[in-house]
Amino acid sequence: MPHVILHHSDLDALGLTPDRLVDAVFHGMEASELFDPNDIKVRVVPVSHYRNGRNNYSFIHAEARIMPGRTPAQKAAMSDLVLSAVQALDTPVASITVEVSDIDRACYAKAVTQESGVTLKA
C-alpha cells in the first residue's frame, strides 16, 4: 500500500514516457514520508478514448488509494507532492489532477505469492 493508478492521454504527444511518469509519481509519494518505499505501487492505464470539454484536452490523473489513518493535512501534502512531481516533468499537459481516497479495510483482500519477493507482515 499505497496503490497509485495513473490514467492519462497520449504520453507521446506530451513528450513523456510511461517510465518517466511512473518514476515522478513514485518519488512524489516517497517524498511524503508516509509509506515505506517498498510498499508504493504505481501503475499506468493509458486512455485512448475520452472527452474533456469541447477541445478534448490532454490529461494526467493520479488516483492514490491508501489505507485509512492519515490526516486530511497529510493527504493534502501528499497530493501536492505528487502534483509538483508531475509538473516538474515540464510537459505541455493541459490538466494534472491528484485524488487520494481511503480504502475500506473491511472490503480489501490481498494475496501475495512467495515469488513476488514481498515479505508479508502479520
Side-chain angles (χ1 to χ4, degrees):
M1 199 60 53
H3 296 281
V4 183
I5 299 104
L6 299 169
H7 294 92
H8 60 78
S9 56
D10 183 12
L11 292 183
D12 287 338
L14 300 173
L16 282 178
T17 64
D19 287 340
R20 280 187 64 214
L21 179 58
V22 166
D23 287 346
V25 170
F26 180 90
H27 293 303
M29 293 294 291
E30 185 177 35
S32 75
E33 298 182 350
L34 295 174
F35 312 99
D36 180 326
N38 291 317
D39 294 334
I40 300 170
K41 298 155 193 78
V42 182
R43 300 172 179 106
V44 295
V45 180
V47 179
S48 57
H49 303 284
Y50 58 92
R51 170 58 68 191
N52 287 326
R54 291 190 182 272
N55 296 327
N56 212 25
Y57 52 83
S58 60
F59 70 94
I60 295 171
H61 175 69
E63 181 182 348
R65 298 177 183 173
I66 65 173
M67 285 297 188
R70 278 68 180 199
T71 67
Q74 288 173 314
K75 291 188 250 186
M78 182 181 65
S79 292
D80 289 341
L81 287 166
V82 171
L83 179 65
S84 294
V86 175
Q87 287 175 313
L89 293 171
D90 197 29
T91 177
V93 64
S95 174
I96 305 168
T97 53
V98 181
E99 171 187 8
V100 178
S101 58
D102 289 338
I103 292 173
D104 183 348
R105 191 179 301 268
C107 299
Y108 182 74
K110 179 177 182 176
V112 179
T113 64
Q114 287 184 318
E115 291 85 33
S116 71
V118 174
T119 302
L120 293 177
K121 298 176 186 171

